[in-house]
Amino acid sequence: MKPIILFLFLVFATSTLAAEKNAPAPGHAKQMARSLQLFNSEVRPLLKRNCINCHGGDKIRSGLNLNSREGLLKGGDTGPAVVPGDAANSLFIALIEHREEPFMPKSDEKKLDAEQITTLAEWIDTGAAYAKPILNPEEAASSDGPMIVTDEDRDFWSFRPLSQTVPPRKSEAGWARNAIDDFVAAKHAEHGLKPNPEADPRKLVRRIHFDLIGLPPTPKEVEDFVTSTINNQQSAISNLIDALLASPRHGEKWARHWLDVARFAESHGFEQDYSRPYAYHYRDFVIRAFNQDMPYDQFVKWQLAGDELAPGNPLAMMATGFLGAGVFPTQLTEKEFESSRYDELDDMAATTGTAFLGLTIGCARCHDHKYDPIPVNDYYRLISTFTTTIRSEVFVPADPAAAKRELDAWEKKKSSLVATVEKAKSPADKKKADAALKSHLEEKPPPGTAKVQITGEGYPKTKHHADGRGFPHFYPETYHLNRGDVLQKGAVAEPGVLQVLLRDDRKASHWRTTPPPGARFSGHRSSLANWITDSEHGAGHLLARVIVNRLWHHHFGRGIVATPSDFGLQGMRPSHPELLDYLAGELIRNGWRLKPIHKHILLSATWRQASTPDPAMARLDPDNRYLWRFTPRRLEAENIRDSLLTLAGTLDTEMYGPGSLDPGNPRRSIYLFIKRSQLIPMMQVFDTPEPLVGQGSRPSTTIAPQALVFMNNTDVRTWTDAFAQRLDKHYPDSLEAAVTEGYRIALGRPPAQTEFKQSVTFLEDQLVDYKHAPRTDARLLALGDFCQVLVSLNEFAYIE
């Protein structure tokens, strides 16, 4: 009996301890009564007015249902929303206080007032009591139903039509130079900020050159600008901006920004990563488009449907390379055929969303978007637009230089294949070589043409390793897939657009294009292009916001919206929403031309500010969100490499054509061949992205290998030695003159007195170290060391 008695005693003791542990704390009933009183009198109306529509009413965003206490405690996709009794550590309070993203409530740019937040915090601290569900059963949403896109969803800041923004009154003391400054000055006044004065002309001319063409100014260009600012600074800046916008170097600089967004590369990716030898034509299209100041709406349309809209225009055909620039596997099993096709459609649609609309459409592939009003059905309607769109390689009319390049490459490969046939020893090898030669002879480019990789409909399919095993390249229909699984097909998906970006009761059919009789294409992509550029009834207002924000991002280092490829709920809110709408409106009013927007930004007092830090202003706005100064920033990898080539005097300005994998190649960095499995280390060290998905912004890291590149990279030393030869050629008898000119070439300014003395002393010491070398060699070695020091200075790699 004793073991049984002992067992019963232990059970009783354990139960007693558990009951004591779970017993309500003293005062619990009183606290819950207070919490219930707050809920009935203040919290329930607050939640119903500000939160319930997205979290329990028409929909349940992010899995969070605030209609009941059970839903509140369960939380959403990011975990529990509240910790009863502990408001300070409740995610709900962090979101409404705007301490964590996404800021809530989403429909308001401004957070709840302090009194409302205090009430909600007290309600949670006293237990987060509910008297009953906030909504009646017939009003509450079911998490099992399809997402419904409402007018309230369309009232989110980025989905609204552009506001008819009038610039605020001009700022005090005559600081403002254009409307941009009036908007910025209003934020300065709101936050107690005082802007910096204008930057020194030498820093300004360097800033303008790097922002517009990505290359440093020559000493003469610097001195000419400084002199011209003495008489009329505004005119001098305006004239320089016009000259650089007209330079062919402008397209090379700004095309690189767009190629990041378009995830451009010249190979397929995955294990084999075979090259795409004709993909460079898309890069050339982007350069030409920016140099020509092609209207941005046309730029967008041609990338989506150039083969449909202008099939006789070679540039329009090249533009479609956008859709096919993503990764694609070249080794597939039969089981992977269909799933890889849906991956390809996803890449096209997702990149279209982030690049043009700043929306993460791909997040709705398996379920309704967790944050943005993009139902899964909208996703499948959108990818259905690309159902029959495939990669092709076709000959198009080309300029004489491109046609000659194409024919020369064909002849070179022909000679190689002939040599292979002649060297073949076995009958089998000879048969294989003969077949390869015969195939090549059949692909001789017609006169005056070049082969281009396009993405369109009705053209020959690009060769694939699985062609002999029945790989179809595309399927005639696209289906709604349950959870994104090709084995769980639903209904056929009809081409369509995003409901949240439809206005005035328009349906997708409003933009539908009917192809002419006998056309090889469906017209679905033309319809998409028409909708996405329609600023009155379609997505054009968002399209305009996104691109002017990208321009702002690259001119200031941070966009008005700091997440340039995410204008949805998870993205940052605009720091200057009225200014963003003003610039978007200016873009549309000026025929969608980007160059006037560039000039408008660069002529502003906001952009022309000095970068001088101010501790008092930094305390008020530590991140410079409201632009009280120009934020210094490091040059991007391409600008650094191109600047080194410029200093060396070896920069090859040949434009267009195939790129090179040789990091020492003297052409601009945009012409480096981008092979996904063989990215150039120097460029990666300075944060060039891996082109797997579109990148709206690059990180700007500061790491030790960057310094080691300047110290140890053989190409860098080759370029600094060439820089030294320039100095020695012009100043063979004067170290002092060489030092002064070296500073002017590398940094755009003469050396300060201390720098001058230290540099001359350094050169004299290096000559002693190299005393055993011939005099000429010793001098060049010493100057090479000096030039390497110059390019290792922060000032060389930064604009301020």
Side-chain angles (χ1 to χ4, degrees):
M1 293 294 291
K2 288 183 179 180
I4 295 175
I5 293 172
L6 178 61
F7 171 74
L8 291 173
F9 174 77
L10 289 173
V11 169
F12 173 78
T14 301
S15 300
T16 302
L17 289 171
E20 289 176 355
K21 182 177 180 180
N22 295 322
H28 172 73
K30 186 177 180 180
Q31 283 188 331
M32 289 298 289
R34 171 59 178 163
S35 184
L36 193 59
Q37 178 190 6
L38 284 171
F39 177 82
N40 287 326
S41 62
E42 299 181 57
V43 172
R44 186 174 183 273
L46 257 177
L47 295 179
K48 188 170 185 178
R49 184 168 59 251
N50 295 287
C51 308
I52 203 67
N53 281 346
C54 292
H55 298 287
D58 291 331
K59 57 190 74 68
I60 299 175
R61 292 272 187 249
S62 307
L64 176 60
N65 188 343
L66 298 180
N67 190 44
S68 66
R69 191 169 192 268
E70 291 75 18
L72 176 76
L73 299 180
K74 179 183 177 182
D77 298 335
T78 55
V82 302
V83 180
D86 190 0
N89 289 309
S90 293
L91 177 62
F92 180 83
I93 296 298
L95 297 180
I96 65 173
E97 287 184 337
H98 292 192
R99 288 187 283 114
E100 292 191 29
E101 294 274 1
F103 297 156
M104 290 290 162
K106 75 157 190 173
S107 59
D108 231 333
E109 275 74 33
K110 294 183 179 179
K111 62 183 181 181
L112 300 176
D113 63 41
E115 184 178 349
Q116 292 171 323
I117 293 174
T118 299
T119 297
L120 290 167
E122 183 185 357
W123 171 64
I124 293 172
D125 279 333
T126 53
Y130 271 66
K132 61 179 181 179
I134 295 174
L135 299 176
N136 298 324
E138 61 271 14
E139 298 176 307
S142 168
S143 59
D144 298 328
M147 177 186 287
I148 299 172
V149 178
T150 66
D151 286 341
E152 184 183 2
D153 291 321
R154 296 185 179 96
D155 195 45
F156 184 62
W157 75 266
S158 63
F159 303 145
R160 296 172 193 154
L162 295 178
S163 58
Q164 298 300 315
T165 308
V166 177
R169 67 180 182 85
K170 288 193 176 297
S171 59
E172 300 296 332
W175 176 74
R177 292 186 178 274
N178 61 28
I180 289 173
D181 302 322
D182 292 327
F183 288 106
V184 173
K187 288 291 184 182
H188 287 168
E190 181 182 338
H191 295 278
L193 298 167
K194 181 180 178 182
N196 268 357
E198 185 155 302
D200 172 83
R202 292 183 183 276
K203 291 182 178 179
L204 203 53
V205 66
R206 196 166 182 268
R207 190 190 297 177
I208 295 171
H209 271 256
F210 275 114
D211 259 24
L212 291 182
I213 65 171
L215 295 171
T218 65
K220 183 180 186 304
E221 288 171 329
V222 172
E223 298 307 322
D224 287 348
F225 178 78
V226 171
T227 301
S228 64
T229 58
I230 297 173
N231 299 320
N232 189 326
Q233 189 166 13
Q234 184 75 358
S235 177
I237 294 173
S238 180
N239 291 339
L240 178 59
I241 291 170
D242 287 341
L244 296 180
L245 286 172
S247 167
R249 309 282 82 83
H250 171 72
E252 293 173 329
K253 154 73 176 177
W254 280 85
R256 185 57 263 172
H257 294 317
W258 183 258
L259 295 180
D260 282 3
V261 173
R263 83 295 189 213
F264 171 76
E266 297 168 85
S267 63
H268 287 286
F270 294 93
E271 297 89 343
Q272 293 75 29
D273 195 32
Y274 296 114
S275 295
R276 295 173 178 165
Y278 308 108
Y280 70 86
H281 289 286
Y282 173 70
R283 174 249 290 153
D284 290 353
F285 155 75
V286 178
I287 296 172
R288 292 178 194 273
F290 285 146
N291 276 337
Q292 296 171 8
D293 203 12
M294 178 183 288
Y296 184 68
D297 57 344
Q298 179 183 334
F299 179 74
V300 171
K301 284 182 174 182
W302 278 12
Q303 290 179 84
L304 292 174
D307 61 307
E308 296 187 2
L309 297 169
N313 189 314
L315 209 57
M317 300 292 281
M318 295 175 187
T320 63
F322 167 82
L323 293 173
V327 298
F328 187 72
T330 51
Q331 300 287 345
L332 292 171
T333 65
E334 284 79 352
K335 288 185 177 180
E336 296 171 310
F337 287 175
E338 192 169 14
S339 61
S340 69
R341 178 56 181 169
Y342 276 90
D343 289 343
E344 191 176 16
L345 296 175
D346 176 76
D347 174 70
M348 294 179 189
T351 309
T352 296
T354 54
F356 300 129
L357 301 176
L359 294 177
T360 54
I361 292 170
C363 293
R365 182 177 184 178
C366 300
H367 46 68
D368 293 334
H369 200 293
K370 291 294 185 180
Y371 302 101
D372 299 334
I374 304 175
V376 66
N377 289 338
D378 277 14
Y379 168 86
Y380 282 101
R381 282 191 283 264
L382 188 64
I383 70 167
S384 178
T385 301
F386 307 108
T387 293
T388 56
T389 304
I390 60 169
R391 294 180 181 86
S392 303
E393 293 173 356
V394 299
F395 287 105
V396 300
D399 60 74
K404 183 177 184 304
R405 267 197 311 266
E406 186 77 26
L407 188 58
D408 289 348
W410 183 88
E411 292 286 359
K412 183 178 179 180
K413 185 174 181 181
K414 173 188 170 185
S415 298
S416 174
L417 291 171
V418 168
T420 303
V421 170
E422 293 172 348
K423 293 177 181 177
K425 296 181 179 178
S426 69
D429 288 343
K430 189 173 187 311
K431 182 178 179 180
K432 183 178 178 181
D434 281 335
L437 177 59
K438 181 181 178 183
S439 175
H440 181 67
L441 292 173
E442 292 171 352
E443 296 178 356
K444 184 176 181 179
T449 67
K451 184 174 277 190
V452 175
Q453 177 185 298
I454 69 164
T455 318
E457 299 175 55
Y459 293 95
K461 304 166 185 175
T462 300
K463 293 179 181 178
H464 193 280
H465 281 281
D467 284 342
R469 291 182 282 112
F471 179 52
H473 290 259
F474 71 90
Y475 294 83
E477 293 178 320
T478 296
Y479 291 87
H480 291 269
L481 303 181
N482 182 33
R483 307 298 296 177
D485 184 359
V486 296
L487 300 180
Q488 300 185 57
K489 292 185 178 69
V492 173
E494 297 297 330
V497 297
L498 302 183
Q499 298 175 60
V500 74
L501 293 174
L502 293 175
R503 292 279 167 186
D504 305 322
D505 297 323
R506 295 297 199 281
K507 304 297 182 186
S509 57
H510 175 75
W511 296 275
R512 187 163 297 153
T513 298
T514 302
R520 66 171 81 219
F521 54 83
S522 64
H524 296 322
R525 285 177 292 116
S526 297
S527 304
L528 175 66
N530 291 335
W531 165 77
I532 212 169
T533 56
D534 183 346
S535 58
E536 292 294 324
H537 308 292
H541 59 290
L542 180 54
L543 180 76
R545 281 190 182 112
V546 170
I547 189 57
V548 296
N549 187 68
R550 292 196 192 281
L551 267 58
W552 190 276
H553 169 84
H554 291 297
H555 284 306
F556 286 93
R558 175 189 175 118
I560 296 174
V561 177
T563 49
S565 289
D566 190 354
F567 275 46
L569 184 62
Q570 288 291 86
M572 295 288 286
R573 302 298 185 271
S575 57
H576 301 73
E578 296 85 3
L579 173 57
L580 182 65
D581 275 14
Y582 165 76
L583 290 172
E586 283 292 286
L587 176 70
I588 296 170
R589 285 187 288 273
N590 283 283
W592 292 89
R593 292 171 57 237
L594 297 179
K595 287 186 178 182
I597 303 297
H598 284 292
K599 185 172 183 179
H600 199 32
I601 292 172
L602 269 59
L603 282 176
S604 69
T606 303
W607 185 84
R608 287 156 58 176
Q609 289 180 96
S611 62
T612 313
D614 183 327
M617 297 301 103
R619 282 193 293 273
L620 296 172
D621 183 19
D623 296 328
N624 194 29
R625 178 175 169 84
Y626 299 110
L627 303 166
W628 54 269
R629 70 168 182 146
F630 182 86
T631 303
R633 66 180 186 272
R634 201 202 69 221
L635 296 174
E636 293 178 324
E638 292 84 357
N639 300 155
I640 291 173
R641 181 181 174 277
D642 293 350
S643 295
L644 288 167
L645 286 165
T646 301
L647 269 56
T650 58
L651 180 66
D652 181 352
T653 57
E654 179 189 357
M655 297 181 71
Y656 312 125
S660 170
L661 268 172
D662 176 11
N665 186 286
R667 298 181 70 194
R668 287 199 73 170
S669 301
I670 194 168
Y671 299 112
L672 290 172
F673 189 92
I674 302 177
K675 192 171 180 66
R676 288 184 162 98
S677 62
Q678 199 174 335
L679 300 175
I680 294 174
M682 174 183 173
M683 308 301 284
Q684 287 187 286
V685 166
F686 288 101
D687 304 316
T688 53
E690 293 193 18
L692 302 177
V693 295
Q695 301 288 340
S697 61
R698 296 183 183 186
S700 184
T701 61
T702 303
I703 55 175
Q706 292 167 351
L708 296 176
V709 165
F710 287 111
M711 293 170 62
N712 301 325
N713 184 277
T714 56
D715 290 322
V716 171
R717 183 63 200 205
T718 298
W719 296 326
T720 54
D721 283 346
F723 184 15
Q725 290 170 12
R726 285 183 67 189
L727 297 178
D728 183 63
K729 179 180 179 181
H730 290 94
Y731 306 100
D733 302 315
S734 173
L735 290 179
E736 292 80 2
V739 165
T740 300
E741 188 66 6
Y743 268 85
R744 292 176 69 231
I745 293 173
L747 306 180
R749 64 172 178 84
Q753 187 174 4
T754 302
E755 293 171 326
F756 178 77
K757 290 180 179 178
Q758 290 175 340
S759 298
V760 172
T761 300
F762 172 79
L763 281 168
E764 291 171 345
D765 290 345
Q766 295 304 97
L767 285 172
V768 173
D769 288 344
Y770 294 127
K771 62 185 177 182
H772 297 298
R775 180 184 178 281
T776 304
D777 291 348
R779 181 180 168 84
L780 285 175
L781 288 168
L783 282 171
D785 292 344
F786 166 67
C787 290
Q788 195 165 5
V789 170
L790 274 181
V791 302
S792 298
L793 296 173
N794 271 358
E795 193 175 345
F796 171 76
Y798 279 77
I799 53 174
E800 55 181 342

